[in-house]
Each structure stands twice: as structure tokens, then as C-alpha cells.
Amino acid sequence: MEKIKLATVWLGGCSGCHMSFLDLDEWLFDLAAAVEVVYSPIADLKHFPERVDVTLIEGAVANEEHLELVHTIRARSRLVVSFGDCAVTGNVTAMRNVIGNSAEAVLDRAYRELPTHNPRIPDEAGIVPPLLERVLPVHAVIPVDVFLPGCPPPAPRIRAVLQALIEGKTPEMIGREMLKFG
Amino acid sequence: MSVVTLTINGQDVSARDDATVLQAAREAGIHIPVLCYLEGLSAVGACRLCLVEVAGVNRLLPACTTRVQEGMEVHTDTPRLQTYRRHIIELLFAERNHVCAVCVANGNCELQSLAIEVGMDHVRYDYVFPSLGMDLTHERFGLDHNRCILCTRCVRACDEIEGAHTLDVLGRGAKARIVTDLNMPWGESPTCTSCGKCAMACPTGAIFKQGSTVAEMVHHPEKLAFLKTARERREWRV
Ligand code: SF4
Ligand code: SF4
Ligand code: SF4
Ligand code: FES
């Protein structure tokens, strides 16, 4: 049987979802037998590849790089999974949205109003991707096939979803074990 | 008082004629989700989560404020009701800022539990992200408008059980807010007795004990019905 091509992506999140993924411990061996990891922050690959079967997206869409990447991901992935609360709801990453509908207001708050020393917005062009005016959950930008909530999603929940996807089934997102946010 | 007979989800149920559909269902062990209803407080029919279908009535009726009637045929869990309930919960999440991961009520929240019950895996509405504050001026309690769903359980607990009527609702629609007295900081309220009944009643992370951090706030809504019953039966001399 040909291996399932799995990608995992880290957008505007804390990497906690990926840490929880690594918490799958020895089941990762079983997973490795069934999938080929074609892109991931824990693998050294520069470009998002073509023809991916399953992509887990951790994090919300917060800057222009994220925005471009999610469109590429959607075009090249059969199944897209919103992986964790930041991807599903915006979560902590989107808390900045209450400051106002502008990236400028957010940067002002963080770099001019709050610092006691040297208040200045870092402006090295071409290095840090510009922030979007608003942080968005992934499904506000592209269609999403599976929602895997949790901050972070507990390892058994990640396993249940991946197991179903490997077997070609739709994961059953029902009940506290599978659905609780936070 | 007389007794009427009705059916709920095809099951024969009898109830006092002054009972509500919700009370009759609970007596019979039939679950109807609620949010603004709390035993011990008056029912206001505000959240619409308990809507049920009644044969022969072409609109949906809130179980918490609808009286039982002889021969009534009630359905509590049809696909239509399930769809509406999920929409109601999604709207509540979209309306204010619910960030369960950093919320005092995480793991002990009725809204969060209802999201699980209705199968909410994501919110289909655009989040509003309103800019709302917190009132941390009270010595013992805090009020976080970001988490408030305007169920008014706190208002009713404060008025009906404590008799202080410190809390009320200011404004209408999306602009409505819970306020203390004449919209003054809670800590300066001359009427608040610091009894904590609002904190017992609140279903979410909106009212909490000062000093609670993530997932530490456990409410005790059941204590209010206990207090009320004890008073009505004059179990204490106070
Ligand atoms: S009030 Fe409940 S639903 Fe809202 S953020 Fe807190 S735990 Fe989540
Ligand atoms: S502490 Fe008691 S008196 Fe004060 S607002 Fe809450 S319920 Fe009312
Ligand atoms: S503060 Fe709590 S009890 Fe009061 S209206 Fe808001 S959610 Fe309901
Ligand atoms: S519980 Fe009946 S309307 Fe809220």
C-alpha cells in the first residue's frame, strides 16, 4: 500500500499542538509506518509539496505569509485539518483583534505604548512578514475538512483523528474527549 | 392542583397542571438543554436553548416558560431543534470573546459543555471581537464582559435570592451589558452585600472569585435552589 502523504504546518500558534503531536510517543512508530511526512516544522523541507493527502494546520492566519501558505496548502492537499484551537477559533492568537481592526493599532500597543525603553516599531522590511489587519481562523480563509479542537488537542484526540484518516474514514468528532475547546 | 397527562418524545408523562414542560421533562428523566434557566430563580425564556416542538403549534416554544397542558404532544430533540441549538451556541461564541484556553471557567463552564453537547466543532459565523472590559474593582469578585452571555442569572440571583438588586442589564441588543447599580464600579456599590450568589449562578467565566486563574473557577448553581428551598421550608431561623 502506498503511504499516505502527511504534512503539518505551524502558522500563528505557540507550537503546543505540535508538542502534543509528539506526545503520541511510541504510536509515532505506527504512524511512521503508515505515512510519509512530506512537510513539517520538525522536518527540514523548504517548500510545501504537491499532492499531499492530509495537512494538519496549527495556528491562526495572522500574517501575509500565513495567508499565502494556506491557499497553497488548500490547492495541494486532499484533506485539510484545522489542528488546535488557534486554527479552529483564532484563540489566543486572535485576542489582538479586540484592540481594533488594524495591525497598526496592535503594533502601536505592543511596541510604542507598553514598552518603557526604546519604544519603536521594528521596521526591517522583507524580514518579518506584515501582520494582517485581523487574525482569522483557518476556515474563514479556505474550506476545512476536519476540525480538531483543543489547546492543545490531547494526544489521544490527535491519534483518534489520524487513525481514522489513515483508515480512510471520517473522524467522529463527538463528545468531551473529542470536542472540548481549551 | 390537578394532574395532566402529556407525551414527551412519545413517552407518557404526568405532571402538575402548574408545571412547565421543562419541569415535567426533568421529572420524567428527559434532558432538555438550558442556559438561562436555573432552578431556584424565576424563568425568563431568554436564551431559547430549551425550545421544543409542540404538535399543533406552528412556532417553537421555550420549555422553561411553557405550561403543560392535557394531551400536549412535545418533542424535545428533533433534527430541526438540534440545528437551531447549535446555531444558538455558535452565535453566543461569535458574539463575545471566548478563549477557553485562558478562561477561569475552562472545564467548569455550562456554555463550553453545551458546545460539546450540540456537537460544535467550529463556529460558522464571523467572530465579532468586541472590545469589552472587565470590572475588577470588587474586593472578592470580578466581572469579565468578554465571557458574559447575558443570561441574567446573576441579576435574578442578586434580586430574588439576595434581595440586593445590585446587578442589572444596561442597554439593548448587542450593546447590552451587566452593570452594578447605576453603572458604577462594582467595588463602589453601596448595595452589594458581597454574598457571592451571582458567582454561584453564573454559567460561564464572566463572574468569578478574585484570584482565580485558568480553569480554577467552579460555580455552584445548585446552591441557590438549595437556599431557596431551605428558606421556603423555614429550615433556618435566619
Ligand atoms: S466562558 Fe466558557 S465558553 Fe467562554 S471562554 Fe470561558 S470556558 Fe470557554
Ligand atoms: S455579591 Fe451578592 S449582592 Fe453583590 S452583586 Fe453578587 S449577588 Fe448581588
Ligand atoms: S455575568 Fe454570568 S450570570 Fe450574569 S448575565 Fe453574564 S453570563 Fe449570565
Ligand atoms: S432555558 Fe429556556 S429559554 Fe433559556
Side-chain angles (χ1 to χ4, degrees):
Chain A
M1 196 177 81
E2 210 182 318
K3 281 188 169 185
I4 289 164
K5 291 187 169 56
L6 176 72
T8 77
V9 185
W10 176 14
L11 306 182
C14 70
S15 94
C17 300
H18 274 85
M19 294 299 152
S20 198
F21 178 85
L22 295 176
D23 264 347
L24 286 165
D25 299 334
E26 68 273 17
W27 191 74
L28 286 171
F29 289 113
D30 299 349
L31 182 67
V35 307
E36 178 192 347
V37 178
V38 292
Y39 187 85
S40 174
I42 49 173
D44 190 18
L45 297 148
K46 298 284 179 258
H47 300 287
F48 194 84
E50 306 274 351
R51 283 184 298 280
V52 178
D53 292 306
V54 179
T55 302
L56 303 186
I57 303 182
E58 168 187 337
V61 181
N63 65 34
E64 283 177 13
E65 186 194 14
H66 298 156
L67 189 62
E68 198 184 308
L69 186 55
V70 285
H71 285 294
T72 309
I73 290 168
R74 183 67 273 184
R76 298 181 181 176
S77 314
R78 200 162 51 80
L79 289 171
V80 170
V81 181
S82 272
F83 178 33
D85 280 359
C86 292
V88 178
T89 74
N91 200 33
V92 175
T93 312
M95 282 170 70
R96 69 139 150 122
N97 288 358
V98 305
I99 294 176
N101 250 334
S102 92
E104 199 56 35
V106 173
L107 291 168
D108 252 2
R109 181 72 187 277
Y111 290 101
R112 286 207 193 102
E113 284 169 33
L114 296 177
T116 45
H117 295 296
N118 207 7
R120 185 181 73 93
I121 294 181
D123 59 357
E124 256 60 53
I127 295 182
V128 183
L131 295 183
L132 299 179
E133 304 297 354
R134 268 192 164 206
V135 176
L136 297 163
V138 174
H139 68 269
V141 184
I142 54 164
V144 168
D145 303 291
V146 178
F147 295 89
L148 171 46
C151 182
R157 191 183 293 178
I158 301 172
R159 177 175 166 169
V161 167
L162 288 175
Q163 186 78 56
L165 293 176
I166 289 167
E167 290 165 10
K169 297 180 193 148
T170 309
E172 287 220 344
M173 305 307 290
I174 297 168
R176 190 164 281 268
E177 297 306 311
M178 295 305 284
L179 275 186
K180 186 186 154 291
F181 286 89
Chain B
M1 195 270 294
S2 63
V3 167
V4 299
T5 312
L6 62 157
T7 68
I8 304 181
N9 303 340
Q11 180 181 331
D12 285 324
V13 169
S14 57
R16 289 166 54 133
D17 63 354
D18 63 350
T20 61
V21 171
L22 178 65
Q23 284 163 337
R26 284 189 172 183
E27 282 285 302
I30 296 165
H31 170 75
I32 300 176
V34 298
L35 203 40
C36 68
Y37 176 81
L38 181 61
E39 207 178 322
L41 304 180
S42 59
V44 290
C47 73
R48 316 313 273 180
L49 213 66
C50 69
L51 286 177
V52 295
E53 290 178 12
V54 176
V57 181
N58 60 16
R59 61 201 172 90
L60 303 172
L61 298 173
C64 67
T65 55
T66 303
R67 284 276 163 87
V68 292
Q69 273 173 18
E70 183 60 40
M72 210 179 204
E73 234 179 83
V74 182
H75 286 276
T76 68
D77 201 25
T78 62
R80 175 165 71 140
L81 292 171
Q82 287 166 4
T83 305
Y84 287 164
R85 284 185 189 133
R86 175 154 172 193
H87 278 285
I88 291 169
I89 297 293
E90 286 185 34
L91 284 166
L92 289 173
F93 273 88
E95 193 174 21
R96 294 211 174 175
N97 305 306
H98 292 274
V99 189
C100 295
V102 293
C103 179
V104 288
N106 188 9
N108 305 298
C109 172
E110 291 180 39
L111 179 63
Q112 190 184 47
S113 296
L114 280 162
I116 295 166
E117 185 179 329
V118 301
M120 187 186 94
D121 61 353
H122 72 295
V123 171
R124 290 163 290 182
Y125 296 98
D126 286 345
Y127 290 95
V128 177
F129 295 113
S131 183
L132 299 163
M134 287 172 99
D135 185 335
L136 295 173
T137 58
H138 194 283
E139 202 185 350
R140 295 184 53 201
F141 308 107
L143 170 56
D144 183 353
H145 295 285
N146 294 287
R147 313 283 194 252
C148 173
I149 54 168
L150 294 168
C151 67
T152 72
R153 275 162 54 161
C154 57
V155 175
R156 284 172 283 148
C158 184
D159 176 42
E160 297 168 15
I161 311 280
E162 181 60 6
H165 203 131
T166 302
L167 301 170
D168 215 323
V169 183
L170 172 82
R172 297 179 72 87
K175 293 216 169 87
R177 300 278 182 277
I178 295 297
V179 289
T180 40
D181 292 312
L182 298 171
N183 198 14
M184 55 175 42
W186 197 355
E188 290 167 25
S189 162
T191 60
C192 175
T193 63
S194 303
C195 70
K197 293 190 174 68
C198 51
M200 290 176 196
C202 182
T204 70
I207 297 184
F208 53 90
K209 289 192 197 114
Q210 288 275 15
S212 324
T213 175
V214 174
E216 280 187 356
M217 182 58 208
V218 183
H219 301 279
H220 289 285
E222 71 292 343
K223 280 193 184 164
L224 293 169
F226 172 81
L227 272 174
K228 185 161 177 273
T229 313
R231 271 186 206 166
E232 281 166 0
R233 295 200 193 133
R234 299 186 178 280
E235 286 177 6
W236 301 313
R237 285 175 179 277
V238 285

